[in-house]
Amino acid sequence: MKLYFKPGACSLASRIVLNELNIPFTAEAVDVAEGKTESGKNFRLINPNGYVPVLEISEGVHLTENAAILQFIADAEPTSSLVPLNGTIERARLQEALSFAGSELHKAYSPFFRTPDMSGELRAQSIQNAYKKIQHIENQLADGREYLTGNTFSIADAYTAVILNWSNFINLDLAKFQNVKDYLDRILSRPSVVESLRQEGLIEGNAA
Ligand SMILES: N[C@@H](CCC(=O)N[C@@H](CS)C(=O)NCC(=O)O)C(=O)O
């Protein structure tokens, strides 16, 4: 399998899950602005939407969209605790958390990257919108659970943590969300996450 990625982008969630499950993979960086991969391929031919992640499952077979890719990877190891079995309420809960990450939380962070010099009223509104989505996670974690769907780490946590971690890059203060801060710290300290950050050059260190 090959992961097309951009360092630190949402494609990091797929890398975390691949590493968490010790699935062998290769990775190729994409310059999404230029529409070119590291080896010079036209990325639009791989994903006409022009964004990462893309998982190449075999020659010419490409899967896009975080929620689909994360489930596909984790379903390769059905006995792992990263995804519950299909058809169970637990799986539906996981898909609920993945949908929230993709269509609510991720989209609330997007304006900060689309308009990096955003300021004034627009930035204030974007912060309020992001806080509304983060508050939902804060509330979910308020019953003492360690992860979104209970006490085991899942693919939804990989995706959610990658997004929440962007707060550091856009100066979004998480101080009023103590549960979220503890949750993020817990995930960032997982060996698979540390290794993934290292592989993308986001932290220094030697291979695990
Ligand atoms: N709906 C897509 C969104 C993916 C996405 O937003 N990718 C961002 C990085 S986090 C990207 O590649 N943006 C570049 C662009 O849109 O040009 C998914 O869930 O996979």
Side-chain angles (χ1 to χ4, degrees), residues 36-109:
K36 280 259 178 285
T37 74
E38 206 177 351
S39 67
K41 284 182 247 171
N42 179 350
F43 187 57
R44 290 261 164 197
L45 298 177
I46 296 169
N47 182 3
N49 285 320
Y51 49 65
V52 292
V54 174
L55 188 69
E56 186 174 273
I57 294 161
S58 57
E59 185 74 32
V61 180
H62 296 122
L63 184 64
T64 65
E65 301 300 320
N66 281 295
I69 294 172
L70 292 168
Q71 291 184 78
F72 182 83
I73 297 170
D75 279 333
E77 298 286 341
T79 53
S80 89
S81 55
L82 292 191
V83 275
L85 288 178
N86 261 311
T88 60
I89 179 64
E90 289 79 13
R91 181 61 173 250
R93 287 278 173 234
L94 176 90
Q95 285 164 334
E96 184 178 42
L98 276 176
S99 294
F100 183 82
S103 58
E104 302 295 334
L105 189 65
H106 189 161
K107 294 305 140 193
Y109 277 72

Side-chain angles (χ1 to χ4, degrees), residues 89-159:
I89 179 64
E90 289 79 13
R91 181 61 173 250
R93 287 278 173 234
L94 176 90
Q95 285 164 334
E96 184 178 42
L98 276 176
S99 294
F100 183 82
S103 58
E104 302 295 334
L105 189 65
H106 189 161
K107 294 305 140 193
Y109 277 72
S110 297
F112 296 97
F113 295 100
R114 250 194 328 262
T115 317
D117 55 355
M118 186 164 53
S119 60
E121 186 55 23
L122 185 58
R123 182 170 160 89
Q125 276 173 10
S126 300
I127 291 175
Q128 280 323 305
N129 186 45
Y131 277 175
K132 215 165 108 189
K133 310 302 174 183
I134 297 166
Q135 184 65 53
H136 174 67
I137 298 172
E138 178 75 10
N139 295 346
Q140 280 182 300
L141 298 170
D143 63 4
R145 70 181 74 179
E146 293 196 346
Y147 298 102
L148 288 178
T149 55
N151 282 328
T152 52
F153 176 76
S154 78
I155 58 175
D157 297 303
Y159 189 12

